[in-house]
Amino acid sequence: RWQGDHVASPEALLALTGAVYGHAPPAWLVNIGASRWDFDTCLSPDVAAAVPSAVALVLHLAQQGVPAARHD
């Protein structure tokens, strides 16, 4: 459900897109877990180490056109 603020879940954004345009595009959620939550100007070593795998996954999904689960 759209909250009308600056924070929305991926599901809410897809639902809003569906409401406005009549359908939502395929979508994937790729996330990287975090072990620290403090503010810093750089990524933690754990997150920095995970970024290349996440980027490779996103590129693979984009190139292969792998269908996403539909949540219409």
Side-chain angles (χ1 to χ4, degrees):
R1 180 174 167 269
W2 179 251
Q3 301 291 320
D5 54 22
H6 294 284
V7 178
S9 69
E11 296 85 1
L13 292 173
L14 289 171
L16 178 62
T17 302
V20 171
Y21 297 104
H23 69 280
W28 302 268
L29 177 62
V30 177
N31 64 7
I32 297 173
S35 58
R36 292 180 14 206
W37 295 100
D38 52 324
F39 291 101
D40 202 341
T41 58
C42 60
L43 300 174
S44 70
D46 292 340
V47 171
V51 167
S53 294
V55 170
L57 176 58
V58 169
L59 292 174
H60 172 77
L61 291 169
Q63 291 169 353
Q64 299 300 314
V66 176
R70 301 288 303 194
H71 295 285
D72 291 339

